[in-house]
């Protein structure tokens, strides 16, 4: 199938999404809305895992569009592939969840580079969610207006003012100058738990995503 089949397995979802995107991006068999979920430039464990888990969660909630190929959620590790080996904590956690780091998308993946480039033909169909930060990196400033959602626990830098309401979830108290949660993953976990309400009784959160 040319379209990723929705699955409740976190590891399978990530692997299938990567394979489907790489194999079909150049074929243009459909004109989907690509929704990239990206962590901050530091690319620490919270940043990478929150992006992966949120993409999985959003795909569960938006499963009809995902199934027919009109929307594709793409979690992208906010580092180059060769740098993942240096994130030993992240690698260990991913493997514990059954996720092979080799199966993920990275910023230097050829297809990702093309999709995010300034002259990308898909720019009008591109949406971005920023996790663990609230200002897009300078190298992607040309996509500032494509930001549709922010999930973060750092001080609001005031960027992307067009992202408002529930889409702008920044868990930080400016009065006390303190984060309201310990990680972006905490906020994503809340979304994952809420997502279960979309399904019939008996739906269980995949163990990999729950971890």
């Amino acid at each position: 199938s040319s379209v990723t089949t929705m699955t409740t397995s976190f590891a399978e979802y990530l692997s299938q999404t990567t394979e489907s995107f790489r194999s079909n991006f150049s074929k243009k068999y459909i004109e989907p809305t690509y929704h990239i979920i990206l962590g901050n430039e530091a690319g620490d464990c919270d940043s990478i895992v929150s992006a992966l888990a949120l993409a999985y969660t959003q795909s569960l909630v938006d499963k009809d569009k995902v199934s027919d190929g009109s929307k594709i959620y793409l979690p992208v590790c906010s580092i180059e592939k060769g740098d993942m080996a240096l994130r030993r904590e992240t690698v260990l956690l991913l493997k514990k969840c059954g996720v092979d780091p080799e199966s993920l998308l990275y910023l230097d993946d050829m297809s990702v580079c093309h999709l995010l480039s300034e002259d990308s033909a898909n720019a009008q169909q591109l949406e971005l969610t920023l996790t663990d930060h609230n200002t897009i990196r300078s190298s992607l400033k040309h996509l500032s207006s494509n930001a549709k959602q922010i999930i973060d626990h750092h001080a609001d830098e005031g960027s992307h003012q067009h992202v408002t309401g529930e889409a702008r979830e920044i868990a930080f108290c400016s009065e006390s100058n303190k984060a309201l949660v310990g990680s972006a993953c905490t906020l994503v976990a809340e979304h994952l738990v809420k997502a279960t309400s979309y399904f019939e009784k008996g739906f269980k959160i995949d163990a990999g995503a729950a971890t």
Side-chain angles (χ1 to χ4, degrees):
S1 173
S2 59
V3 178
T4 300
T5 301
M6 194 60 239
T7 172
T8 55
S9 166
F10 182 53
E12 287 181 4
Y13 162 73
L14 295 173
S15 177
Q16 289 178 10
T17 297
T18 296
E19 291 177 9
S20 178
F21 173 62
R22 285 176 175 162
S23 64
N24 293 301
F25 182 70
S26 62
K27 296 178 183 178
K28 298 181 180 178
Y29 63 95
I30 50 174
E31 295 184 352
T33 295
Y34 289 101
H35 192 123
I36 287 193
I37 302 179
L38 185 69
N40 64 37
E41 290 189 69
D44 59 11
C45 189
D46 185 34
S47 198
I48 291 174
V49 174
S50 62
L52 299 178
L54 183 62
Y56 173 72
T57 301
Q58 298 286 55
S59 293
L60 287 174
V61 174
D62 216 3
K63 62 178 182 176
D64 290 338
K65 290 183 178 180
V66 171
S67 295
D68 67 21
S70 61
K71 176 167 276 192
I72 299 176
Y73 288 95
L74 291 176
V76 176
C77 297
S78 53
I79 56 174
E80 293 186 353
K81 185 175 182 179
D83 292 335
M84 179 59 96
L86 303 176
R87 271 74 172 175
R88 299 176 70 177
E89 176 188 33
T90 306
V91 171
L92 287 173
L93 179 59
L94 289 174
K95 289 184 176 180
K96 183 177 181 180
C97 297
V99 176
D100 180 0
E102 291 290 321
S103 71
L104 304 177
L105 289 169
Y106 296 85
L107 279 177
D108 57 342
D109 186 285
M110 187 178 298
S111 297
V112 173
C113 289
H114 182 72
L115 185 60
L116 296 178
S117 67
E118 290 192 54
D119 58 352
S120 172
N122 300 85
Q124 297 300 317
Q125 297 158 265
L126 182 65
E127 298 176 348
L128 291 171
T129 287
L130 308 180
T131 68
D132 204 26
H133 66 309
N134 56 77
T135 298
I136 198 168
R137 63 184 63 206
S138 58
S139 61
L140 297 177
K141 281 291 186 183
H142 57 282
L143 295 174
S144 291
S145 62
N146 296 74
K148 301 298 181 185
Q149 183 182 30
I150 295 172
I151 296 182
D152 188 28
H153 65 126
H154 298 98
D156 191 341
E157 297 179 14
S159 303
H160 315 295
Q161 287 297 310
H162 62 283
V163 181
T164 60
E166 292 184 356
R168 191 181 188 88
E169 186 176 0
I170 301 179
F172 189 91
C173 179
S174 57
E175 294 182 2
S176 63
N177 197 37
K178 292 182 179 180
L180 301 178
V181 296
S183 68
C185 281
T186 299
L187 299 173
V188 173
E190 293 174 354
H191 281 262
L192 181 56
V193 172
K194 183 178 180 181
T196 63
S197 65
Y198 288 83
F199 303 95
E200 66 273 10
K201 188 176 181 180
F203 175 85
K204 295 182 179 180
I205 299 174
D206 174 60
T211 302

